[in-house]
Amino acid sequence: MKEIESKEIQKWKDQYPLLSKLISMEEIFWFNPNIEKFQTGIKKSPLIQEDVRDAEERLKRFAPYIAKVFPETKKMNGIIESPLVDIPSMKQSLERNYQQPILGELFLKCDSHLPISGSIKARGGIYEVLKHAEELALQHQLLTVHDDYSILDSDRFRTFFSQYSIAVGSTGNLGLSIGIMSAKLGFNVTVHMSADAKQWKKELLRSKNVNVIEYEADYSKAVEEGRIQADMDPTCYFVDDENSHDLFLGYAVAAVRLKKQLEELKITIDENNPLFVYLPCGVGGGPGGIAFGLKVLYKDYVHCFFAEPTHSPCMLLGLMTGLHDRISVQDIGIDNITDADGLAVGRPSGFVGKTIEPFLSGNYTVCDEQLYMLLKELVDTEAIRLEPSALAGMIGPIKLFKEGTDYLQKHNLTKKMNKATHIIWGTGGNMVPEEMMAEYYRKGLKLTLNEQ
Ligand SMILES: *Cc1c(COP(=O)(O)O)cnc(C)c1O
C-alpha cells in the first residue's frame, strides 16, 4: 500500500479527534462508537456459538493424546488451561501508584503459564495444528472421531504426517506453539520469524527440529514471505495468523473454560455484576477470539477492551478509521518498534477487526516504559513473572476509571462497579529465560526509581 497522502491524514485528524495523539504516540483510550447490543451484533458475525462448541469438542478429542505426549498436561487430563488468580496486592499497588481506586475485584488470567508454550498462543496455535492433523488423518481413514486419539503418538502416524509440512509467520510466540505442536505430531514445520523475534525462541525451536527462517523485516513481511513459500508447496499448510478462523476459534474456547473457573470461585456475572476484560492485542486473533467467546456466553454483561503499544496501535487505527487491514501504523508515520514483541504488529487482521467491531467496548494504548514498570510491580507484589507484552492489560482498570466515566454512565454501570470483576489477560512469560526476565525487572526498577 502506498504512503497515505498527508492531505488525507489531515482530513482524518479533523474527523477523528484522537488521531493526532495516536500519531504522536501518546497514550490514548478510544471507546468504540460502533458497539452494539449482542443480539444485533451477532447477526453480522461470520462465526456463531456452534463453531466455538465444535472447537471445544475437538480439543476434548485430542486431550488423551496431549496428556500422553506433554506430561505436564497430565494432571489436567490433556486440557491445556491456565489458572485464574486474584491479585489483591497488585490492585493496592496500582491504586496507590496511580491515585485511583479500582472498584470491584481484580484477577489475572495466567496464560503466561499455559503448558507447552507459555503464552496465549498455546490456545489458537495448537488448536489449528490439531485441527489440520485431524482432517488429514480422517481423510486418509487412519482415524475416526470415536477413536482414542492417543494412538496418534506412534511411528505410524508420525510417518504419515512427515509427508506434510506446516508453515507460519510469527514474532515469536505463535512460532513456538505451531512449531512445538507440529514437530511433536511429525510434521515438517517452518517458522518465518520477524526481526524482533527473540534469539532464545529461535534456538528453542531449532532444538526441537523446527526450521527457522529469519527476516530483517517486521511481522507482516515474515507472514508474506511464509505465505509465498508455502504456496509453492502443495503439501504445505500455511497457518494464516491474519485471516484464520481456526486460530480465532481455538482462542474462543478460553471463554468456556473461564466461565467454569468463575463459577468455581462463586463469582456471578449478570446484569448487576458486570465483567471487564483487558486483553493485549497484536494482529488481533488472540484477544479477538477470547472476546468473541466471552460475548457469546455473557452477552451485554461483559465489556472487553484491547490494549496495544503506543508504537503499534494497529487494531485501534483500523477500527477508528474503519479501514481495518487497509491501513498500517507505518502509513501514518508510526514506527512499529516496541519491546512488546508479541504486539509488534503494524497492520491488523481485517477478519478480526470486522468480526469484533460490534462487540468491542474500546481500545487503549500503553507505552513500553509503563509495561516494564508494571512488570516489576507484579513481581514485587504477587511474585508473578510476565513478559512485557503481557502487562498491557494491567493498566486497563486504572484507565477505565480515569477516562471511561461516559462509557460507564451510558451503559448504566456506574452504580454497579463495586460489584464488578476485572480480569487482566496475562498473555505470556513463563518460557522467558531467567536472565532475560531479570533484565526486564531491572529496566522496570530503573524506570520506577526515575519516576519517583
Ligand atoms: C500474540 C500475543 C498477543 C496478542 O495476540 P494476537 O493474536 O497477535 O493479537 C498478546 N500477548 C502475547 C504475549 C502474545 O504473544
Side-chain angles (χ1 to χ4, degrees), residues 72-360:
E72 71 266 36
T73 67
K74 206 161 196 160
K75 58 178 185 300
M76 308 271 290
N77 296 318
I79 295 295
I80 302 165
E81 197 40 71
S82 74
L84 176 70
V85 297
D86 68 339
I87 46 171
S89 305
M90 183 64 182
K91 181 175 180 239
Q92 276 181 7
S93 153
L94 287 168
E95 294 179 319
R96 197 174 50 240
N97 293 342
Y98 296 93
Q99 300 283 305
Q100 171 64 58
I102 297 173
L103 304 181
E105 251 197 289
L106 187 64
F107 289 86
L108 182 68
K109 180 65 174 154
C110 300
D111 273 11
S112 46
H113 290 68
L114 277 175
I116 303 176
S117 67
S119 84
I120 187 173
K121 305 296 192 309
R123 299 185 183 277
I126 288 176
Y127 173 72
E128 179 150 359
V129 173
L130 295 177
K131 178 159 190 259
H132 179 59
E134 185 186 57
E135 269 166 8
L136 286 172
L138 291 174
Q139 247 169 40
H140 289 80
Q141 279 144 29
L142 296 168
L143 187 73
T144 76
V145 292
H146 305 294
D147 286 337
D148 175 341
Y149 279 25
S150 62
I151 59 171
L152 271 75
D153 180 31
S154 63
D155 287 337
R156 176 162 164 255
F157 275 97
R158 278 184 288 273
T159 308
F160 170 68
F161 290 129
S162 73
Q163 308 166 73
Y164 299 93
S165 51
I166 291 183
V168 66
S170 169
T171 64
N173 284 344
L174 185 62
L176 284 182
S177 285
I178 302 284
I180 293 170
M181 191 66 247
S182 304
K184 186 65 90 181
L185 282 158
F187 286 106
N188 284 305
V189 53
T190 303
V191 177
H192 299 266
M193 287 274 201
S194 56
D196 50 310
K198 297 279 184 293
Q199 192 59 29
W200 67 267
K201 293 182 184 172
K202 300 173 193 166
E203 282 163 18
L204 179 72
L205 283 174
R206 288 189 173 120
S207 79
K208 296 192 186 288
N209 267 330
V210 174
N211 309 309
V212 176
I213 303 182
E214 300 173 56
Y215 295 89
E216 294 292 330
D218 81 348
Y219 164 85
S220 302
K221 181 77 185 164
V223 171
E224 190 186 317
E225 279 300 316
R227 192 182 280 130
I228 291 170
Q229 294 193 21
D231 278 349
M232 294 188 301
D233 175 1
T235 67
C236 185
Y237 179 81
F238 183 69
V239 177
D240 188 344
D241 196 14
E242 291 174 328
N243 299 293
S244 170
H245 288 200
D246 289 335
L247 275 175
F248 190 87
L249 290 169
Y251 290 119
V253 174
V256 186
R257 312 260 186 84
L258 180 73
K259 185 163 186 279
K260 265 190 218 123
Q261 290 179 319
L262 286 170
E263 284 163 4
E264 280 161 19
L265 292 168
K266 306 253 184 302
I267 293 171
T268 309
I269 306 300
D270 62 18
E271 180 161 15
N272 294 310
N273 299 269
L275 174 63
F276 294 81
V277 185
Y278 308 89
L279 298 135
C281 178
V283 73
I290 292 171
F292 178 78
L294 287 168
K295 290 303 280 194
V296 163
L297 294 179
Y298 293 120
K299 310 203 164 53
D300 299 323
Y301 307 147
V302 62
H303 307 268
C304 299
F305 296 92
F306 288 177
E308 290 176 292
T310 48
H311 285 249
S312 305
C314 67
M315 187 58 79
L316 203 170
L317 180 64
L319 286 166
M320 180 196 275
T321 58
L323 290 172
H324 299 292
D325 56 348
R326 288 179 288 127
I327 190 166
S328 74
V329 302
Q330 289 94 341
D331 290 335
I332 57 166
I334 299 181
D335 57 12
N336 190 30
I337 293 175
T338 164
D339 287 352
D341 36 344
L343 312 184
V345 178
R347 187 185 297 279
S349 159
F351 152 63
V352 173
K354 288 169 206 160
T355 304
I356 209 67
E357 193 160 28
F359 304 123
L360 190 67

Side-chain angles (χ1 to χ4, degrees), residues 375 385-387 429 432-441:
L375 183 150
R385 289 166 176 77
L386 301 184
E387 61 188 279
V432 176
E434 215 168 296
E435 63 272 27
M436 183 151 280
M437 192 55 84
E439 176 81 40
Y440 290 156
Y441 182 89

